[in-house]
Amino acid sequence: MNSKERLLVLIGPTAVGKTKLSIELAKKYNGEIISGDSMQIYRGMDIGTAKILPEEMEGIPHHLLDIRNPDESFSVADFQELVREKISEIQSRGKLPMLVGGTGLYIQSVIYDYQFSEVISNEAFRLSLEEQAKEKGNEFVHEMLKRLDPESAERIHPNNLRRVIRAIEVFHFTGKTISEYQEEQEKELLYNVALIGLSMDREQLYERINKRVDLMIKAGLLEEVQSLYEQGIKDVQSIQAIGYKEIYEYLDGKIEWQEAIEKLKQNSRRYAKRQLTWFRNKMDVKWFDMTEKDSLSKKMLEISSFIEGKLQIKANT
């Protein structure tokens, strides 16, 4: 008998249909949903992050939405800690925890035994980098990271100094990038996990992404971003999110409105491609192709059969 806590994980690229399916599965298996999206944690960032609306939840509890202000930073380690607490709390109520989202590293950090604090840390080294940032600016330290670990530099905003310094520190003391360091850690699953991935024909997925952006614009994305812009929220982690950075460029007068929309669609499509590559390369996922609309009930049966076999649970009657 598996004594580990049960966990249902539902992943897939943006716009593939995770939200709708997660609600159906939560109803069927008495589940509660934990958002596995690194941007839906921010208050006031609803339309651009495709956050579920209260009326769409159908009474299913959702966790880790709206827990930070947009000017606050939030790390993978913060996410790992909060989600693991939630999983235990949901289990203790006799419910099934469901982690649903598209941020690969965040989900990976929860389900595998990742130790973020184990890397050697050196206060003197950190302080010297902080001093350099004070004297020469955050960009100077970020450039240092770019030379050592371009992948992390791309992901971490120059003003998120704590994370920039952390990435440099890891490289300095291990000779490895943060990603390489994490890859080498023992990949032991901490939970009894049913890991489900949704995929779709690329053309159809891209069409859905483009349509979703159009709907976001209609729903008031410009006004949402403008509100953050007018509050003076700039150069922070949250505004690097797709759907926000493009419109900030427009509001800064750097690009035209139509170009901002096209950029947003293009960046969303590229992100979906990166998400799929990440999930396929780094996690042991059972994939379900959601291309055919008319076979949704058939897909639901296949997915349910996999969940019940993996987690040894039965559906609500």
Side-chain angles (χ1 to χ4, degrees), residues 15 48 64 68 83 101 107 116 126 139 175 178 219 234 238 254 259-260 263 283:
L64 258 66
R68 290 282 189 280
V83 173
I107 287 168
F116 285 105
R126 269 201 318 275
E139 284 289 349
I178 276 191
K234 288 186 183 182
S238 63
K254 291 176 183 168
E259 192 187 341
K263 247 186 162 180
M283 293 161 100

Side-chain angles (χ1 to χ4, degrees), residues 82-248:
L82 287 173
V83 173
R84 287 181 179 170
E85 280 171 16
K86 278 288 166 206
I87 290 169
S88 296
E89 180 200 308
I90 292 166
Q91 285 271 355
S92 71
R93 293 199 296 272
K95 300 285 192 78
L96 176 67
M98 295 171 56
L99 184 54
V100 179
T103 309
L105 178 62
Y106 280 55
I107 287 168
Q108 215 179 5
S109 77
V110 170
I111 64 177
Y112 294 109
D113 190 17
Y114 273 179
Q115 307 290 330
F116 285 105
S117 56
E118 267 188 5
V119 180
I120 304 158
S121 68
N122 182 300
E123 200 176 348
F125 181 76
R126 269 201 318 275
L127 286 171
S128 80
L129 288 172
E130 282 170 21
E131 281 306 313
Q132 288 181 66
K134 267 183 208 156
E135 283 171 32
K136 300 171 184 171
N138 292 354
E139 284 289 349
F140 178 81
V141 181
H142 192 259
E143 279 299 321
M144 205 184 288
L145 176 62
K146 210 180 271 184
R147 289 193 295 275
L148 301 172
D149 180 359
E151 192 190 322
S152 291
E154 170 116 353
R155 207 172 53 237
I156 304 168
H157 191 274
N159 285 355
N160 196 340
L161 194 59
R162 186 171 65 97
R163 281 185 70 203
V164 172
I165 289 174
R166 185 66 178 143
I168 294 172
E169 188 179 36
V170 169
F171 192 88
H172 184 81
F173 289 104
T174 67
K176 299 181 182 86
T177 67
I178 276 191
S179 299
E180 286 168 344
Y181 173 76
Q182 286 161 358
E183 280 297 298
E184 286 180 11
Q185 290 196 58
E186 202 54 48
K187 279 210 178 166
E188 190 207 333
L189 280 167
L190 293 185
Y191 301 96
N192 179 13
V193 178
L195 185 49
I196 293 163
L198 305 184
S199 63
M200 188 175 276
D201 166 75
R202 186 172 288 182
E203 286 308 307
Q204 190 175 319
L205 181 65
Y206 286 178
E207 201 181 302
R208 281 171 67 106
I209 288 169
N210 291 341
K211 220 172 261 178
R212 175 185 270 194
V213 171
D214 291 335
L215 289 172
M216 283 176 172
I217 304 294
K218 271 188 193 147
L221 180 61
L222 175 58
E223 292 75 11
E224 177 173 283
V225 180
Q226 205 154 12
S227 163
L228 298 167
Y229 187 87
E230 284 164 5
Q231 288 171 54
I233 295 167
K234 288 186 183 182
D235 299 322
V236 291
Q237 185 181 341
S238 63
I239 300 306
Q240 292 313 297
I242 295 167
Y244 296 86
K245 60 182 176 183
E246 299 84 358
I247 295 179
Y248 261 61

